[in-house]
């Protein structure tokens, strides 16, 4: 059985325009990881932490089909969930570019390049 993880972060801006990022929860996924499966665990986190859906403006994904599918990707499902619960704006969907860079570097096995976390 395969395992994967989903990280939930909150990025925000305070009333005095300071930005922040908070780690909410690391979710271990077992077996299937379709958009619906990922959405269900993220929805549980939103409900558990009582996060205000009116404050959600965007969702950032890694670009995998389960995250960006037009109908059943996590981004689309989260947008539908927000709209059903009162947030009528279209969510901005952002893809993490560094993910693709890391995969590329891993696949070509560059030995003289080191990756550092800033």
């Amino acid at each position: 059985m395969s395992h994967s993880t989903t990280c939930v972060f909150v990025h925000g801006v305070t009333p005095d325009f300071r930005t922040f990022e908070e780690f909410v929860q690391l979710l271990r996924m077992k077996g299937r990881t379709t958009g619906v499966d990922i959405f269900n665990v993220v929805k549980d986190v939103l409900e558990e932490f009582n996060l205000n859906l009116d404050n959600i403006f965007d969702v950032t994904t890694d670009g995998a089909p389960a995250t960006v599918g037009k109908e059943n990707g996590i981004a689309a499902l989260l947008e539908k969930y927000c709209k059903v619960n009162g947030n009528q704006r279209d969510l901005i969907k952002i893809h993490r570019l560094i993910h693709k860079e890391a995969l590329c570097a891993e696949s070509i096995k560059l030995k003289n390049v080191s990756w550092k976390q800033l």
Side-chain angles (χ1 to χ4, degrees):
M1 177 180 293
S2 63
H3 299 286
S4 63
T5 55
T6 297
C7 295
V8 179
F9 286 87
V10 173
H11 304 267
V13 180
T14 64
D16 60 345
F17 299 106
R18 288 183 293 141
T19 61
F20 66 91
E21 176 180 73
E22 294 289 330
F23 170 77
V24 177
Q25 195 166 43
L26 178 66
L27 307 165
R28 186 167 186 208
M29 310 272 307
K30 295 180 183 178
R32 295 174 41 152
T33 54
T34 66
V36 173
D37 298 321
I38 298 167
F39 168 73
N40 285 330
V41 296
V42 170
K43 179 179 68 70
D44 291 345
V45 169
L46 294 173
E47 291 171 355
E48 177 183 347
F49 288 90
N50 198 29
L51 296 174
N52 186 345
L53 299 176
D54 290 337
N55 294 331
I56 297 177
F57 286 88
D58 64 67
V59 59
T60 304
T61 67
D62 65 4
T67 63
V68 297
K70 252 186 155 174
E71 295 295 320
N72 292 315
I74 175 66
L77 294 169
L78 181 60
E79 183 173 69
K80 289 176 196 173
Y81 177 74
C82 287
K83 286 184 177 183
V84 165
N85 287 285
N87 181 343
Q88 296 303 307
R89 75 176 58 84
D90 292 333
L91 296 183
I92 298 168
K93 295 152 187 98
I94 302 168
H95 306 289
R96 286 185 11 231
L97 298 177
I98 192 68
H99 178 72
K100 291 178 183 172
E101 292 170 2
L103 288 176
C104 178
E106 185 178 295
S107 68
I108 60 174
K109 299 190 185 331
L110 295 174
K111 298 213 187 287
N112 61 346
V113 176
S114 64
W115 290 90
K116 291 170 96 176
Q117 185 166 351
L118 300 175

